[in-house]
Amino acid sequence: MGDARIELAVIGGTGLYQLAALQDVETHQPLTRYGAPSGPIRVGTLGGRRVAFLARHGEGHSLPPHLINYRANLAALQALGAQRVLALNTVGGITERFGPRVLACPDQLIDYTWGRISTLCEVDSEGRGGGDVLHVDFGEPYTRSLRQAVIEAAREAGVAMVDSGCYGATQGPRLETRAEIARMRRDGCDLVGMTGMPEAGLARELGLDYACLAIVANWAAGAGPDPDEVITLQDVLDHVAAATGELPKLLATLLAK
Ligand code: HPA
């Protein structure tokens, strides 16, 4: 494991269960000290660079956000030799700049999740985890250099991207009420998703570089022009498919940097 350098690990979210552009793919499913990852890790080449891909919810989307073993996912990618993680997160848009199909690279987050294992030092019900109590710095939750590389790659590739924003991580798996979204807007959130935490915090604890590429799939509850809009999974998937058409180009440009 970890023989040839993996330049980038990509974690795919809702609607993103594979990287079709990956070539010469090998499959790994390492067991980590935190347990098994969500599914197989596909390692291949993209633009001549080695890339690992993992579907966060499993390739058949069988894991809800609060039951994902985020620690095992990140530890497995790290065990394979990844040092940099680009998290793809399907989100709802709250503020004006973040309508459906927008791509964004947020620079802040607020964690509203609860009851998830959110640190390496917690021992879970199967006795996994533990060790030193960690208090990592998290003032800037995403790695600045990786964010800048993503933003520059988007600019170079001609892919439109909002280069900031605050991601609010909710518990799910249900979507939010309009009052919850109104509160998140008051708190300063631009985007809402269910998987941004504890992933980002655990990446920091593991010493991994980590950035989020958020794909806006819908207006969050009550945030769009039609306040009575009902959000359907089909709309979410359609918008993700439309918004990620240029993802391979963006990743190839990022990897060439
Ligand atoms: N809320 C939370 N998570 C999401 C949403 C949303 O509106 N859309 C896609 N993921």
Side-chain angles (χ1 to χ4, degrees):
M1 270 194 271
D3 33 315
R5 199 176 141 80
I6 290 179
E7 297 286 335
L8 185 70
V10 178
I11 302 180
T14 299
L16 285 158
Y17 307 110
Q18 54 168 4
L19 268 189
L22 218 52
Q23 290 174 328
D24 305 318
V25 178
E26 313 151 13
T27 297
H28 300 268
Q29 198 148 5
L31 187 64
T32 76
R33 59 184 292 230
Y34 307 104
S38 297
I41 297 173
R42 311 287 182 189
V43 180
T45 55
L46 203 159
R49 306 293 176 112
R50 268 165 62 87
V51 173
F53 180 83
L54 171 63
R56 185 187 285 114
H57 297 272
E59 290 182 346
H61 200 117
S62 51
L63 291 167
H66 63 296
L67 296 182
I68 291 168
N69 190 339
Y70 295 94
R71 298 196 295 190
N73 286 352
L74 291 168
L77 293 168
Q78 190 170 47
L80 288 171
Q83 254 314 303
R84 300 193 299 172
V85 177
L86 180 62
L88 308 180
N89 294 88
T90 298
V91 298
I94 298 176
T95 52
E96 297 63 36
R97 292 185 300 162
F98 301 91
R101 304 189 181 195
V102 164
L103 297 180
C105 191
D107 59 342
Q108 275 299 327
L109 67 77
I110 298 179
D111 187 6
Y112 300 89
T113 66
W114 49 268
R116 301 184 182 187
I117 292 178
S118 55
T119 174
L120 302 179
C121 61
E122 180 168 344
V123 179
D124 70 15
S125 59
E126 299 184 45
R128 302 173 303 204
D132 292 344
V133 174
L134 301 166
H135 294 289
V136 290
D137 182 274
F138 204 46
E140 189 167 340
Y142 303 110
T143 306
R144 187 181 295 189
S145 54
L146 183 55
R147 283 190 60 250
Q148 279 168 352
V150 171
I151 292 162
E152 271 167 38
R155 210 170 286 142
E156 260 173 50
V159 176
M161 179 179 290
V162 180
D163 65 2
S164 61
C166 180
Y167 178 113
T170 55
Q171 179 70 357
R174 65 165 177 82
L175 297 169
E176 299 72 34
T177 67
R178 290 180 203 148
E180 285 168 338
I181 294 299
R183 178 180 76 148
M184 292 178 75
R185 183 195 291 268
R186 291 194 297 275
D187 284 353
C189 295
D190 298 296
L191 304 162
V192 54
M194 301 173 191
T195 52
M197 282 297 282
E199 199 173 83
L202 290 165
R204 182 64 49 87
E205 286 189 346
L206 285 163
L208 292 164
D209 285 351
Y210 181 93
C212 165
L213 173 51
I215 300 143
V216 183
N218 55 277
W219 284 114
D226 172 7
D228 291 325
E229 184 187 5
V230 174
I231 302 160
T232 67
L233 183 60
Q234 196 53 52
D235 285 347
V236 166
L237 296 177
D238 289 349
H239 284 141
V240 172
T244 50
E246 293 190 300
L247 196 61
K249 185 167 82 173
L250 173 61
L251 291 178
T253 310
L254 175 63
L255 287 160
K257 293 177 84 61

